[in-house]
Amino acid sequence: MRPSKRAPDSMRPVSLERNVARYAEGSCLVKFGGTHVLCTASLEDKPPQWLRGQGKGWITAEYAMLPRATHTRTRRETSKPSGRTQEIQRLIGRSLRAVTNLQALGERQITVDCDVIQADGGTRTASITGAWVALHDCLKWMRDRSMIKDMPLKDHVAAVSCGIYQGVPVLDLDYDEDSVAHTDGNFVITGTGGLVEVQATAEGAVFSEEELTKLLGLARKGVTELVQLQKQALTA
């Protein structure tokens, strides 16, 4: 049994609160249990230098963990982001671009910052889920000001972690589960069920194709719930 007494196929309590950053074009405070991430979307009226003149825009992401987001203070990454941070930033950016018509943005860039306020496992998956809401509201802000005609978003996207904990496939690992799980995976899935990215790693014991299939099934269940929460947040 999981330490939290949650069923193996259940998510932690999830909340998505919009419009929490006064000056950002879009923002969302996302909570997956004890993991809390502030996601803000900022618009620049020009694309990256390498994309100029091509008639389309870009979406990128930055990720950071505040010093006391964890049990002990973590030093700020003031010079160069760590390899882990860069990997997560790229994952968030890829996930958002996968469901966005970049041509419809025009020559503009949106940067989504994901700052982890409190970490208890699944910070990258929470970031992706909240980043989509922040991006949506930034695009709505643009449409309301006639900067774009139609919403460039083609679909929802959300993410969740799954793993093999004490021999059982489980959904939405917290830190205590993740730190001892035999297999740890992150799944990024669109609202219509398309796979954006699958990351799965064995920790000490290999996993089978059957177990991977079970983890994917759990991930699909979790993302279905997350997309429903995204939809509810947009109508709140």
Side-chain angles (χ1 to χ4, degrees), residues 174-189:
D174 61 23
Y175 175 78
D176 288 339
E177 294 165 340
D178 180 69
S179 61
V180 296
H182 294 155
T183 300
D184 177 26
N186 298 298
F187 298 80
V188 185
I189 305 175

Side-chain angles (χ1 to χ4, degrees), residues 206-224:
V206 299
F207 57 96
S208 66
E209 184 175 340
E210 180 184 3
E211 288 174 321
L212 179 60
T213 300
K214 289 180 179 179
L215 293 179
L216 178 57
L218 286 174
R220 288 194 180 280
K221 178 181 182 298
V223 167
T224 297

Side-chain angles (χ1 to χ4, degrees), residues 125-219:
T125 56
S127 294
I128 291 167
T129 304
W132 184 91
V133 175
L135 173 62
H136 172 278
D137 282 359
C138 179
L139 295 171
K140 182 178 181 297
W141 185 93
M142 294 170 66
R143 187 185 62 183
D144 290 346
R145 288 157 180 78
S146 301
M147 299 175 71
I148 54 176
K149 182 178 179 181
D150 301 308
M151 284 292 281
L153 282 173
K154 300 179 288 186
D155 202 349
H156 288 253
V157 71
V160 70
S161 66
C162 299
I164 308 293
Y165 173 74
Q166 295 184 348
V168 177
V170 298
L171 175 64
D172 189 26
L173 301 164
D174 61 23
Y175 175 78
D176 288 339
E177 294 165 340
D178 180 69
S179 61
V180 296
H182 294 155
T183 300
D184 177 26
N186 298 298
F187 298 80
V188 185
I189 305 175
T190 68
T192 52
L195 296 175
V196 177
E197 191 141 347
V198 175
Q199 304 172 335
T201 306
E203 298 287 351
V206 299
F207 57 96
S208 66
E209 184 175 340
E210 180 184 3
E211 288 174 321
L212 179 60
T213 300
K214 289 180 179 179
L215 293 179
L216 178 57
L218 286 174

Side-chain angles (χ1 to χ4, degrees), residues 1-227:
M1 179 62 70
R2 306 175 77 167
S4 61
K5 308 301 181 185
R6 282 189 293 135
D9 64 346
S10 66
M11 295 282 300
R12 291 174 288 178
V14 177
S15 66
L16 297 162
E17 182 182 356
R18 298 163 63 207
N19 303 318
V20 292
R22 180 175 183 177
Y23 302 110
E25 284 76 32
S27 62
C28 177
L29 176 61
V30 55
K31 298 180 181 180
F32 278 31
T35 290
H36 303 171
V37 186
L38 175 61
C39 304
T40 55
S42 302
L43 173 66
E44 293 180 72
D45 203 23
K46 58 183 179 180
Q49 181 68 38
W50 55 269
L51 199 57
R52 291 182 184 176
Q54 298 185 37
K56 67 178 182 179
W58 193 247
I59 297 171
T60 189
E62 294 191 10
Y63 167 96
M65 191 172 293
L66 298 186
R68 279 317 302 262
T70 54
H71 292 89
T72 58
R73 186 181 187 276
T74 303
R75 292 181 62 86
R76 296 181 190 272
E77 296 178 354
T78 54
S79 53
K80 181 180 178 181
S82 67
R84 176 183 180 274
T85 295
Q86 292 183 58
E87 174 205 349
I88 295 174
Q89 290 178 164
R90 291 168 184 158
L91 173 62
I92 298 168
R94 285 195 302 271
S95 301
L96 298 175
R97 292 192 297 271
V99 294
T100 306
N101 178 357
L102 297 175
Q103 201 77 31
L105 279 178
E107 293 205 356
R108 302 180 178 92
Q109 175 169 275
I110 297 173
T111 301
V112 181
D113 290 287
C114 299
D115 292 294
V116 179
I117 301 170
Q118 183 171 285
D120 187 27
T123 59
R124 73 186 68 192
T125 56
S127 294
I128 291 167
T129 304
W132 184 91
V133 175
L135 173 62
H136 172 278
D137 282 359
C138 179
L139 295 171
K140 182 178 181 297
W141 185 93
M142 294 170 66
R143 187 185 62 183
D144 290 346
R145 288 157 180 78
S146 301
M147 299 175 71
I148 54 176
K149 182 178 179 181
D150 301 308
M151 284 292 281
L153 282 173
K154 300 179 288 186
D155 202 349
H156 288 253
V157 71
V160 70
S161 66
C162 299
I164 308 293
Y165 173 74
Q166 295 184 348
V168 177
V170 298
L171 175 64
D172 189 26
L173 301 164
D174 61 23
Y175 175 78
D176 288 339
E177 294 165 340
D178 180 69
S179 61
V180 296
H182 294 155
T183 300
D184 177 26
N186 298 298
F187 298 80
V188 185
I189 305 175
T190 68
T192 52
L195 296 175
V196 177
E197 191 141 347
V198 175
Q199 304 172 335
T201 306
E203 298 287 351
V206 299
F207 57 96
S208 66
E209 184 175 340
E210 180 184 3
E211 288 174 321
L212 179 60
T213 300
K214 289 180 179 179
L215 293 179
L216 178 57
L218 286 174
R220 288 194 180 280
K221 178 181 182 298
V223 167
T224 297
E225 294 176 15
L226 293 172
V227 167

